[in-house]
Amino acid sequence: MTAVHISRNRCNICKIRSYSFCRCLNDNELEEFSKISFQKNYTNKENIFFQNDPSKYLFNITEGNVKIYQLLEDGRIQIIGFLYPGDFFGTYRNNRYNYSAEAIGDLKTCVFDQKILDKYMDQNLTLAKELINKTSYELTLAQDHMTVMGKLNAVEKIANFLINISNQRKRIGWQSNPISLSMTRQDIADYLGLTIETVSREISKLKSSNIIKIISSKQLFINDFEKLTQFSKL
């Protein structure tokens, strides 16, 4: 893994610090913390790691998005969810990654050696607690996905998906409307258990009902949150 070590000042000016797990550190602690991490950039669709690869590194997104997915026994891909700046990922079991991760668009990450970070957290229980909160988000993604897959019809799945993206943007301090669909239509279809044709058809229906407005292939505006929420059923 080619890396650029983060300078001491980089953590202090990090744009996602306020909603990242390291937000609990004071300036002196942050200076020390910056020494155990390095920056790694990825290009669109570049693999970060694969399911069952040996787990050596843990990652925090500083810019861009990540798709996490599992490869099923029949060869199909099951997308677990999409991650945003401030999200921490790289959970493992028996020293192997639980899933695969792929960059969506240009991606910047803060990377930690698993063993070094574990040792650091042994000396900082507050940071360890923050990290637990972050990693539990991956479990929430999986649980939300099971709900979406099992209980909702096609238009309800699309509505729930769009609301979740808006909420994600709000969570990290971004404008919640319009929203960006950085992932492909095929990724959305795979995540929701739909065909790409169904995704396009249901989005067109929401547009025709004036519930959403299509700005571009990667961006849309939610005209009526109340009606969209009624569709989501959640």
Side-chain angles (χ1 to χ4, degrees):
M1 176 180 289
T2 304
V4 177
H5 280 272
I6 299 176
S7 68
R8 294 184 179 184
N9 292 328
R10 187 178 183 88
C11 287
N12 289 314
I13 63 174
C14 178
K15 295 180 180 179
I16 58 97
R17 180 185 173 188
S18 62
Y19 43 90
S20 184
F21 79 108
C22 56
R23 62 187 174 185
C24 62
L25 301 176
N26 60 41
D27 288 343
N28 290 333
E29 292 171 330
L30 200 64
E31 182 176 332
E32 185 65 27
F33 184 68
S34 68
K35 299 175 184 178
I36 68 167
S37 60
F38 60 86
Q39 178 182 308
K40 172 67 176 177
N41 300 340
Y42 298 86
T43 57
N44 186 41
K45 296 186 180 300
E46 185 175 356
N47 292 304
I48 303 165
F49 55 78
F50 289 105
Q51 181 179 339
N52 292 324
D53 276 353
S55 56
K56 183 177 180 181
Y57 297 103
L58 296 164
F59 304 80
N60 196 48
I61 302 173
T62 57
E63 186 177 317
N65 302 107
V66 169
K67 173 177 71 177
I68 56 175
Y69 64 94
Q70 291 181 326
L71 186 64
L72 304 180
E73 291 183 358
D74 61 6
R76 290 181 299 141
I77 288 177
Q78 177 62 70
I79 297 179
I80 301 171
F82 305 100
L83 303 179
Y84 297 81
D87 287 336
F88 189 91
F89 67 101
T91 56
Y92 54 90
R93 183 174 58 248
N94 298 325
N95 296 314
R96 293 189 180 276
Y97 289 117
N98 296 332
Y99 49 75
S100 300
E102 179 183 294
I104 299 177
D106 292 333
L107 174 71
K108 293 182 180 180
T109 64
C110 190
V111 186
F112 304 86
D113 183 286
Q114 173 189 314
K115 293 181 180 179
I116 294 176
L117 182 59
D118 284 347
K119 183 177 179 180
Y120 184 89
M121 289 192 299
D122 286 341
Q123 303 168 1
N124 193 315
L125 296 182
T126 301
L127 184 69
K129 182 179 179 180
E130 287 284 351
L131 184 56
I132 289 173
N133 290 335
K134 281 294 181 182
T135 53
S136 67
Y137 177 63
E138 293 174 1
L139 177 60
T140 301
L141 276 178
Q143 292 172 333
D144 288 348
H145 186 257
M146 290 174 63
T147 299
V148 169
M149 292 291 288
K151 295 184 178 181
L152 306 183
N153 62 32
V155 69
E156 291 167 351
K157 289 179 179 180
I158 294 293
N160 184 68
F161 177 72
L162 298 178
I163 289 172
N164 280 346
I165 291 180
S166 179
N167 289 338
Q168 282 277 14
R169 293 177 64 86
K170 186 184 297 183
R171 178 177 65 87
I172 60 178
W174 291 357
Q175 186 179 6
S176 59
N177 198 24
I179 61 175
S180 297
L181 301 177
S182 55
M183 63 292 295
T184 66
R185 289 288 194 271
Q186 188 62 61
D187 281 343
I188 297 172
D190 289 342
Y191 175 64
L192 297 177
L194 303 171
T195 65
I196 190 170
E197 291 80 11
T198 299
V199 169
S200 296
R201 183 176 64 250
E202 298 302 333
I203 288 178
S204 294
K205 286 182 181 178
L206 292 173
K207 176 187 174 184
S208 298
S209 300
N210 201 36
I211 295 174
I212 63 172
K213 176 183 178 181
I214 306 298
I215 298 175
S216 69
S217 62
K218 292 293 186 180
Q219 193 175 49
L220 61 82
F221 186 87
I222 300 175
N223 291 325
D224 195 325
F225 269 98
E226 184 176 349
K227 287 185 178 179
L228 193 64
T229 301
Q230 290 173 358
F231 273 118
S232 75
K233 298 292 184 180
L234 294 179

